[in-house]
Amino acid sequence: MASDCEPALNQAESRNPTLERYLGALREAKNDSEQFAALLLVTKAVKAGDIDAKTRRRIFDAVGFTFPNRLLTTKEAPDGCPDHVLRALGVALLACFCSDPELASHPQVLNKIPILSTFLTARGDPDDAARRSMIDDTYQCLTAVAGTPRGPRHLIAGGTVSALCQAYLGHGYGFDQALALLVGLLAAAETQCWKEAEPDLLAVLRGLSEDFQKAEDASKFELCQLLPLFLPPTTVPSECLRDLQAGLARILGSKLSSWQRNPALKLAARLAHACGSDWIPAGSSGSKFLALLVNLACVEVRLALEETGTEVKEDVVTACYALMELGIQECTRCEQSLLKEPQKVQLVSIMKEAIGAVIHHLQQVGPEKQKEPFVFASVRILGAWLAEETSSLRKEVCQLLPFLVRYAKTLYEEAEEANDLSQQVATLAISPTTPGPTWPGDALRLLLPGWCHLTVEDGPREILIKEGAPSLLCKYFLQQWELTSPGHDTSVLPDSVEIGLQTCCHIFLNLVVTAPGLIKRDACFTSLMNTLMTSLPSLVQQQGRLLLAANVATLGLLMARLLSTSPALQGTPASRGFFAAAILFLSQSHVARATPGSDQAVLALSPDYEGVWADLQELWFLGMQAFTGCVPLLPWLAPAALRSRWPQELLQLLGSVSPNSVKPEMVAAYQGVLVELARANRLCREAMRLQAGEETASHYRMAALEQCLSEP
């Protein structure tokens, strides 16, 4: 073994004999003064040339951490020696040690992070060479720690982020190194950085935004690349948004090469994703800027996806997708849109061509590429388009539907990978972590709104059915419903889960109306019906979920009419519970409300229904109609309704309000239910007569009800 080591040792000595002499002096030092002098010589030799890892380790073995620790913390320097010289020596030694990744993560280095961070903002002579050297060594230490697996976490906990922000804002020596290290920490642990040092990071953002707005040279393009990392996960200060928009408007309004334009598009996409259109000013300048953004994005998408044989810059195109999505939102906004109608028409035409390029690209995707983040991003923008527009590009969309169903099924069946894929898309498009609304982790949720429109049309609906989309949607609905079931904390669920469930209900409603045979023959709808029946009783009792309850109740009632012969609907506990909950939903929508100066009350919406009636009323009327259709098909339903006292309370309500306050469509809906209940059951007729049913029917001109109640 000795023979193996000696050549290496001799080689090191021959390579740097001066260092070896100094190390010998260090080993032989008898007191602090001699050790200090030897350390100065060792440090000088280290700085004079490169050393390899073995030599670095030998220096560490000779020095250790004890003496550098004393140098960093001592408050009494020898006569004639400035105190910062001792600290500089200690930092220089640590910088040497930190070149070894194993030593950079050593506890004795990590516990120096707070001390090292203070050196970045310490005051002193800016021209002092020793002080400058100490700052360089400090950055070398902190950068080495940041490169270790858990280093960023230790730096953030040690106050380094705030120190770096202050060092950068002070624009003293090494401030550019502070910015570079900040960028690295934000890329590695953005959320933790903002949690620990939000005020300081916002100050840096303000400074960068102001510099960006004023920049007239190439630095503005460099800032485009830096700024996305400094946008906070919460609200961006308004003054920063103004500066960023002004800077982007000046850049994108000029003739640029791709390397200059692409970072600007990515910054704009990040702002769009985080703030929507709030960062764009109202008025003519804002509308022109937005139109320019969307136009440039569409051109970039077409150039990238229509040309064959060229490498697609996926990060840039994905950023352009975010800008197109902003354009779709503004073009479909009716109130307070930034765009004027002629601009909307023009942009829709431009976006249509870009979406055509997206469809063309997706048609080329083979099975081996389906899990690539860029494919997910392309499906996302197509889903956003189809949510608002399905009439154009209909042929191309229909041709792509089989792929979309297969793609959605693949990601649904591998949900864990799909969630990771969503994060990869965010990274690809904008930044390491993305603020603003979270992108859904499953492709199916992206496609639901578009499929809701397409299931109304014969051609697309037949393709979706043929490809197995209804069965997939049933499985998806049941899976998502589990997230809202008892035992799960629904308060932490994203709104997208409930919105997705509602959209699924709308698709199923379309299928009930347009493809009733499918509902009767496909077993998945029997499972769906069972879930609806068992879930509605608890759902109608939950605050803030009335719209979802309306969807579930109405869908269940319509499906019950088609599946009335199913054993599950023959008066089982589940079916009775479902219809009792449906009656509760239908019966509580309206109340009698007194009016000042009048002896007679008026029919009014109940408080819980007022805020959502605009979205709810169509479902309510459809539910009333569906319940009416179920009564003659389910003999047990009329007696159950009678026991709930709904018909009696309904007549009582109508008798207590002015007939003029009840709209004709409400009269028709109420009469439909009352007539079917009266026809189906003698006891119902008798109960209605006792509740002045004939008189009420006469007041409201309900001829069918009046005639039914007049019969034995």
Side-chain angles (χ1 to χ4, degrees):
M1 292 295 294
S3 61
D4 292 335
C5 296
E6 287 173 2
L9 180 60
N10 294 334
Q11 185 180 13
E13 291 176 348
S14 63
R15 191 166 51 239
N16 198 338
T18 303
L19 175 61
E20 295 303 321
R21 188 167 63 252
Y22 294 162
L23 284 175
L26 180 62
R27 283 190 293 269
E28 296 170 3
K30 296 182 176 61
N31 53 48
D32 282 356
S33 296
E34 292 182 4
Q35 193 172 23
F36 177 64
L39 279 172
L40 285 175
L41 295 173
V42 168
T43 305
K44 180 179 179 181
V46 168
K47 288 182 175 293
D50 295 332
I51 58 173
D52 57 25
K54 289 183 179 180
T55 306
R56 190 185 307 115
R57 177 61 73 162
R58 294 181 65 237
I59 295 173
F60 172 72
D61 291 339
V63 176
F65 280 116
T66 302
F67 200 70
N69 290 348
R70 292 172 58 191
L71 291 172
L72 290 172
T73 57
T74 185
K75 296 182 180 178
E76 296 181 2
D79 294 339
C81 177
D83 59 353
H84 73 267
V85 171
L86 296 181
R87 291 195 296 271
L89 176 58
V91 176
L93 288 169
L94 280 184
C96 173
F97 299 161
C98 286
S99 299
D100 183 333
E102 184 178 342
L103 292 179
S105 59
H106 194 284
Q108 286 286 355
V109 171
L110 299 179
N111 65 22
K112 303 300 180 300
I113 290 173
I115 298 175
L116 293 172
S117 297
T118 63
F119 295 164
L120 300 179
T121 55
R123 296 184 178 182
D125 182 1
D127 296 324
D128 187 307
R131 186 174 295 278
R132 289 193 170 202
S133 177
M134 182 178 72
I135 291 175
D136 286 335
D137 288 336
T138 300
Y139 281 118
Q140 183 177 339
C141 291
L142 296 175
T143 301
V145 172
T148 63
R150 306 182 74 177
R153 189 185 70 174
H154 289 292
L155 291 174
I156 293 167
T160 304
V161 176
S162 291
L164 291 170
C165 291
Q166 294 165 24
Y168 173 75
L169 292 170
H171 275 68
Y173 179 76
F175 79 98
D176 53 337
Q177 298 181 72
L179 184 62
L181 187 50
L182 265 178
V183 168
L185 289 176
L186 284 167
E190 182 183 47
T191 302
Q192 292 86 346
C193 286
W194 281 100
K195 184 179 180 180
E196 291 293 327
E198 181 172 346
D200 295 302
L201 285 169
L202 286 176
V204 173
L205 174 61
R206 291 187 181 96
L208 291 173
S209 301
E210 188 175 348
D211 291 344
F212 179 62
Q213 193 271 335
K214 294 177 179 178
E216 297 291 345
D217 55 12
S219 65
K220 60 188 175 184
F221 303 115
E222 297 172 3
L223 286 169
C224 275
Q225 296 177 324
L226 289 178
L227 278 162
L229 285 164
F230 286 90
L231 295 179
T234 53
T235 305
V236 182
S238 57
E239 65 271 24
C240 296
L241 293 178
R242 285 195 298 270
D243 287 341
L244 293 173
Q245 189 276 329
L248 283 171
R250 194 160 56 249
I251 289 176
L252 294 174
S254 307
K255 189 174 182 180
L256 303 170
S257 61
S258 60
W259 74 267
Q260 295 169 322
R261 179 177 61 253
N262 291 346
L265 290 173
K266 293 171 72 172
L267 173 58
R270 176 68 187 269
L271 289 167
H273 190 60
C275 310
S277 60
D278 293 343
W279 61 288
I280 301 176
S284 176
S285 63
S287 65
K288 289 180 180 177
F289 174 71
L290 177 58
L292 173 65
L293 269 184
V294 179
N295 209 326
L296 288 173
C298 290
V299 170
E300 190 69 33
V301 168
R302 290 190 64 189
L303 287 174
L305 302 184
E306 289 181 349
E307 294 183 9
T308 56
T310 58
E311 183 179 354
V312 176
K313 295 179 180 178
E314 295 179 350
D315 57 337
V316 178
V317 176
T318 308
C320 290
Y321 287 165
L323 297 175
M324 287 175 60
E325 196 164 339
L326 177 63
I328 292 170
Q329 293 169 1
E330 286 299 314
C331 285
T332 54
R333 180 179 293 180
C334 298
E335 297 180 0
Q336 298 182 330
S337 174
L338 292 171
L339 299 170
K340 297 178 180 178
E341 201 58 37
Q343 290 175 311
K344 290 182 179 181
V345 173
Q346 184 182 21
L347 285 182
V348 167
S349 176
I350 294 170
M351 287 191 289
K352 174 183 173 182
E353 294 175 346
I355 292 296
V358 173
I359 293 175
H360 171 74
H361 172 74
L362 290 174
Q363 287 171 335
Q364 317 305 315
V365 173
E368 73 282 357
K369 293 187 176 182
Q370 286 193 12
K371 295 181 184 178
E372 292 185 0
F374 185 63
V375 175
F376 187 89
S378 300
V379 170
R380 173 184 168 85
I381 187 59
L382 178 59
W385 173 265
L386 292 177
E388 305 295 342
E389 172 58 60
T390 57
S391 58
S392 61
L393 299 171
R394 182 175 303 180
K395 179 181 177 182
E396 292 83 352
V397 169
C398 286
Q399 290 174 343
L400 191 64
L401 278 179
F403 164 80
L404 293 176
V405 175
R406 291 194 299 272
Y407 180 76
K409 184 178 181 181
T410 298
L411 266 62
Y412 166 76
E413 291 175 347
E414 301 176 16
E416 186 174 346
E417 290 186 31
N419 287 330
D420 179 63
L421 185 60
S422 178
Q423 181 58 43
Q424 292 180 53
V425 172
T427 305
L428 176 68
I430 301 167
S431 74
T433 52
T434 306
T438 304
W439 283 10
D442 58 272
L444 194 49
R445 193 177 301 163
L446 306 176
L447 296 167
L448 288 177
W451 286 8
C452 187
H453 298 315
L454 291 170
T455 48
V456 177
E457 304 176 27
D458 293 340
R461 182 177 63 253
E462 290 175 3
I463 296 173
L464 288 170
I465 292 174
K466 180 182 178 182
E467 296 296 329
S471 177
L472 174 61
L473 288 168
C474 283
K475 293 177 183 177
Y476 177 78
F477 181 90
L478 297 176
Q479 179 214 53
Q480 294 292 296
W481 190 263
E482 281 297 314
L483 299 176
T484 69
S485 61
H488 291 78
D489 185 2
T490 57
S491 64
V492 300
L493 286 178
D495 292 340
S496 57
V497 172
E498 190 148 318
I499 293 173
L501 288 170
Q502 292 177 24
T503 309
C504 280
C505 286
H506 295 167
I507 295 175
F508 295 141
L509 286 170
N510 290 341
L511 294 175
V512 167
V513 174
T514 60
L518 174 70
I519 309 299
K520 293 179 180 179
R521 69 174 180 268
D522 198 320
C524 70
F525 288 102
T526 302
S527 299
L528 176 62
M529 185 70 214
N530 291 335
T531 298
L532 299 179
M533 289 196 298
T534 57
S535 303
L536 186 62
S538 62
L539 184 59
V540 294
Q541 304 290 343
Q542 298 175 26
Q543 291 291 326
R545 308 191 74 192
L546 184 56
L547 194 54
L548 180 58
N551 278 278
V552 171
T554 304
L555 175 60
L557 289 169
L558 284 167
M559 289 180 62
R561 195 168 60 179
L562 295 175
L563 302 173
S564 60
T565 59
S566 168
L569 286 163
Q570 306 311 310
T572 60
S575 62
R576 290 180 181 274
F578 169 78
F579 276 94
I583 288 173
L584 195 64
F585 159 66
L586 296 171
S587 64
Q588 292 187 340
S589 61
H590 291 78
V591 295
R593 184 174 297 167
T595 55
S598 175
D599 296 335
Q600 214 169 11
V602 297
L603 188 71
L605 286 168
S606 60
D608 289 341
Y609 286 67
E610 280 184 317
V612 293
W613 186 248
D615 298 316
L616 190 69
Q617 60 178 333
E618 186 176 350
L619 289 168
W620 186 86
F621 281 107
L622 194 55
M624 290 287 284
Q625 182 182 352
F627 185 93
T628 300
C630 287
V631 172
L633 299 174
L634 302 172
W636 60 268
L637 184 53
L642 182 62
R643 285 192 295 273
S644 75
R645 294 193 55 78
W646 184 27
Q648 301 96 308
E649 292 173 357
L650 181 50
L651 287 169
Q652 184 180 2
L653 175 64
L654 291 173
S656 65
V657 301
S658 168
N660 292 331
S661 69
V662 186
K663 296 179 180 179
E665 59 268 26
M666 293 295 299
V667 173
Y670 286 147
Q671 178 177 222
V673 169
L674 292 170
V675 166
E676 286 301 331
L677 290 173
R679 286 175 177 170
N681 187 269
R682 176 181 58 82
L683 295 177
C684 281
R685 292 195 296 274
E686 292 177 0
M688 291 181 196
R689 293 191 189 105
L690 291 174
Q691 197 62 51
E694 292 178 271
E695 182 181 350
T696 301
S698 176
H699 286 161
Y700 284 90
R701 298 180 181 178
M702 297 180 176
L705 178 61
E706 190 173 6
Q707 180 180 352
C708 185
L709 294 180
S710 66
E711 297 173 354

